[in-house]
Amino acid sequence: ENGIMDDVDCALATHVTTDKIPGQFVITDGDQGGNSMGFKVRFYGKSAHAVSQEKGKDAIMTAIETVTAMQIMVAKEIHVSKPKVLNIGSFHGGKTNNVICDYVEIFGSCRAAEDSVSEYMERRLQEICKGMELTSGCKIEYEHVKLLPYRVNNPILFKKIWDLGEKLFGEGCMSKPARRGLGGEDFGYLTRKKPCLFISFGVKDPAAEKGIPVHTTKFDIHPDSYAAPLDLIYNFVLENMEGIEF
């Protein structure tokens, strides 16, 4: 939005992969990851004693019904061939067991491999919230938090990095991902603006049978992991000082 990318020829980004050892890379020349959309929903009910249900508006039950309707929408309204995920990762409300809860907040994430699916999901989430508001009598607020677009990898940069990697680290060090996931990255914004490439480099301990997944409490990076990606990008810059024709 501030024009930082306007005078940039291209951009590279790196990420770790726990499936590969140091000196190995995973890259692709096509679309990668998914649109990642965060959203919050706030439910405002009416407090009452647990034995006086008719006097209250239960925000917890309304939130449960809303989340169920959201999951049904994803399962039943979008074709099975289109990758998509909806996850409610945070659900907070209520203070004790004998009081009807008057406030709940949920925090969720939608993932999709196509812009049209993301747009459909967001529209339907808002419609579900409006419909549930009428049904339950609770006030419901929907908030769009963010949308990180999927990455678009430039084929010219892909070829240059692939060839350079094999020259520096040997044949077989470069590979393509086995499948497309739905991970979100803010680098996706840059890939929609200029030619870009997202590079994953190996961080798994060569002595370990399996790598420890990212975003877990035991995740770790082997200390030898950093040299290869730094060397790769350093040499890429030196080899393309005169510019790249896209």
Side-chain angles (χ1 to χ4, degrees):
E1 292 177 352
N2 295 332
I4 292 173
M5 289 292 290
D6 291 350
D7 295 326
V8 171
D9 295 324
C10 62
L12 304 177
T14 60
H15 196 283
V16 301
T17 175
T18 59
D19 294 329
K20 301 292 181 181
I21 63 173
Q24 295 180 335
F25 300 85
V26 179
I27 60 174
T28 186
D29 54 351
D31 298 338
Q32 183 181 17
N35 292 335
S36 176
M37 183 186 75
F39 65 93
K40 290 183 178 180
V41 186
R42 301 176 183 88
F43 303 84
Y44 299 89
K46 182 181 177 182
S47 181
H49 195 282
V51 300
S52 303
Q53 299 283 322
E54 74 283 357
K55 296 179 181 179
K57 301 290 182 184
D58 195 330
I60 285 180
M61 291 306 300
T62 302
I64 291 171
E65 287 190 48
T66 303
V67 170
T68 301
M70 290 176 172
Q71 296 286 6
I72 291 173
M73 176 271 292
V74 172
K76 300 297 185 179
E77 298 181 20
I78 303 171
H79 196 275
V80 67
S81 66
K82 297 183 181 295
K84 71 281 184 185
V85 170
L86 186 146
N87 181 67
I88 305 299
S90 175
F91 191 118
H92 295 281
K95 295 182 174 64
T96 190
N97 70 328
N98 64 344
V99 177
I100 294 174
C101 172
D102 62 357
Y103 179 76
V104 170
E105 180 176 296
I106 65 173
F107 192 12
S109 175
C110 279
R111 309 294 177 102
E114 299 178 20
D115 293 340
S116 60
V117 175
S118 294
E119 292 165 2
Y120 179 85
M121 291 174 75
E122 182 174 20
R123 175 173 62 80
R124 288 292 290 126
L125 290 176
Q126 294 181 62
E127 291 173 349
I128 288 168
C129 289
K130 289 178 182 177
M132 201 61 67
E133 186 174 65
L134 293 173
T135 302
S136 67
C138 292
K139 179 184 177 184
I140 302 177
E141 293 179 347
Y142 175 89
E143 177 190 352
H144 173 96
V145 178
K146 63 179 179 179
L147 174 63
L148 303 179
Y150 64 79
R151 282 97 66 202
V152 180
N153 292 289
N154 182 270
I156 295 175
L157 291 177
F158 167 82
K159 183 69 165 54
K160 282 181 170 290
I161 288 292
W162 185 286
D163 292 345
L164 178 60
E166 291 202 326
K167 183 173 77 173
L168 292 173
F169 308 109
E171 187 176 347
C173 70
M174 313 298 288
S175 62
K176 280 191 170 187
R179 59 180 177 82
R180 178 179 175 179
L182 290 177
E185 292 290 339
D186 52 9
F187 188 65
Y189 287 116
L190 278 64
T191 71
R192 303 295 182 94
K193 190 81 176 176
K194 290 292 178 71
C196 292
L197 188 71
F198 197 70
I199 306 166
S200 294
F201 62 95
V203 298
K204 183 175 81 74
D205 185 341
E209 184 177 344
K210 289 184 177 180
I212 302 171
V214 297
H215 302 289
T216 61
T217 55
K218 295 183 178 181
F219 171 69
D220 199 7
I221 296 176
H222 193 274
D224 294 340
S225 304
Y226 300 104
L230 288 170
D231 199 20
L232 180 69
I233 294 177
Y234 172 75
N235 279 278
F236 171 82
V237 172
L238 291 181
E239 287 194 1
N240 295 281
M241 291 293 287
E242 302 303 317
I244 301 172
E245 289 189 14
F246 291 107

